[in-house]
């Protein structure tokens, strides 16, 4: 009997995370020059959603990754890790708060997602290195940012019907789109992360939508992280990489 091949997501070690504000800003500026914006021609089948949930009062966070099979409309794999919150939230620097936990949960993925969608921005960022772009450089995989709100500028709302969009531009370049993923509900803000361009990012998100505002892999990751947060006991230790909760269904 042939054994299924186990795939592990590789992660580059680009820098450490314990940095002061000036170094963090400089890292973003420097790494942004390594982001590759280009068309993504494939029609992906396996797409991962990655998101974090926080303890309401405390110092813990839960990072979840859900790999979704778009062809069969089912979850292939879902994983959660618990980590400690080590830095305060600073606008535009979310990767330095959530990045270690998000990369750890991605490292534990055993399937081979063709695209990863992050709850946050990619190119649509004041230093062109939002969460999706930052994580994409570590993962060396195509990534998309799908955020629930605009980060640093007002954006004209798109039309009210599914699929309508408004380009978000700067100096003649499209950084992303405000995209209507469900008629009559608030848009999401989609931008390319790495190895992706803005139009390809929108196409991937629309392929992942299943009647809700959020694309299905990211929606499932959102619920997975929240469910694990609720299931953990209040006195569970805050230890990096702890609480490896995972479920895999088939190949």
């Amino acid at each position: 009997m042939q054994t299924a091949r186990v795939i592990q997501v590789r992660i580059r070690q680009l820098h450490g995370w314990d940095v002061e504000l000036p170094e963090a800003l400089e890292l973003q500026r420097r790494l942004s020059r390594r982001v590759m914006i280009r068309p993504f021609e494939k029609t992906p089948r396996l797409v991962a959603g990655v998101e974090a949930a926080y303890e309401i009062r405390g110092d813990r966070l839960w990072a979840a990754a859900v790999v979704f099979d778009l062809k069969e409309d089912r979850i292939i794999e879902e994983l959660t890790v618990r980590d400690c919150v080590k830095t305060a939230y600073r606008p535009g620097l979310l990767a330095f708060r959530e990045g270690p936990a998000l990369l750890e949960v991605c490292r534990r993925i055993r399937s081979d997602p063709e695209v990863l969608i992050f709850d946050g921005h990619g190119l649509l960022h004041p230093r062109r290195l939002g969460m999706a772009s930052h994580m994409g450089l570590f993962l060396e995989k195509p990534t998309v940012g799908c955020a629930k709100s605009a980060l640093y500028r007002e954006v004209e709302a798109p039309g009210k019907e599914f699929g309508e969009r408004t380009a978000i531009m700067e100096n003649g370049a499209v950084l992303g789109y405000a995209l209507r993923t469900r008629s009559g509900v608030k848009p999401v803000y989609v931008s390319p992360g790495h190895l992706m361009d803005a139009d390809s990012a929108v196409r991937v998100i629309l392929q992942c939508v299943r009647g809700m505002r959020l694309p299905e892999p990211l929606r499932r990751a959102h619920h997975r992280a929240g469910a694990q947060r609720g299931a953990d006991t209040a006195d569970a230790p805050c230890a990096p990489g702890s609480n490896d909760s995972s479920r895999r269904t088939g190949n």
Side-chain angles (χ1 to χ4, degrees), residues 1-7 251:
M1 181 177 178
Q2 185 177 6
T3 303
R5 184 166 64 101
V6 175
I7 298 169
N251 298 322

Side-chain angles (χ1 to χ4, degrees), residues 157-170:
K160 295 183 179 181
E161 298 305 314
F162 172 82
E164 295 194 76
R165 70 190 78 168
T166 299
I168 306 168
M169 303 183 67
E170 190 167 287

Side-chain angles (χ1 to χ4, degrees), residues 64 69 72 115 129 142 162 167-168 179 213 223:
D69 187 322
E72 297 186 0
V115 180
L129 197 82
F162 172 82
I168 306 168
L179 175 67
R213 183 188 180 209
H223 286 293

Side-chain angles (χ1 to χ4, degrees), residues 60-63 79-83 105 108 224-225 227-229 231-233 236-237 239-246:
R60 299 180 300 173
L61 65 84
W62 289 259
L79 311 99
T80 315
V81 299
R82 183 176 59 239
D83 204 348
V105 78
R108 300 183 187 203
R224 173 73 179 182
Q228 193 63 51
R229 175 184 60 190
D232 272 2
T233 59
S242 65
N243 189 42
D244 177 11
S245 173
S246 62

Side-chain angles (χ1 to χ4, degrees), residues 7-11 40 42 44-51 63-68 70 77 79 99 101-123 130-147 190-197 200-202 204-205 207-208 215-219 221:
I7 298 169
Q8 185 171 20
V9 174
R10 293 180 300 175
I11 298 176
F40 179 76
K42 298 179 182 178
R45 176 168 177 170
L46 298 186
V47 178
V50 188
E51 186 166 357
V66 172
V67 182
F68 196 80
L70 299 182
E77 189 175 7
L79 311 99
L102 296 182
L103 289 175
E104 177 59 25
V105 78
C106 288
R107 185 185 66 81
R108 300 183 187 203
I109 293 173
R110 292 296 181 267
S111 54
D112 190 18
E114 296 141 274
V115 180
L116 294 97
I117 303 173
F118 287 87
D119 174 28
H121 296 278
L123 194 63
M131 177 70 78
S133 298
H134 207 149
M135 297 296 97
L137 289 174
F138 273 87
L139 296 166
E140 298 184 301
K141 276 182 166 286
T143 56
V144 176
C146 183
V190 177
S191 57
H194 182 49
L195 303 174
M196 182 79 57
D197 66 10
S200 301
V202 165
V204 168
I205 293 298
Q207 288 169 344
C208 292
E216 195 64 11
L218 191 59
R219 190 180 77 86

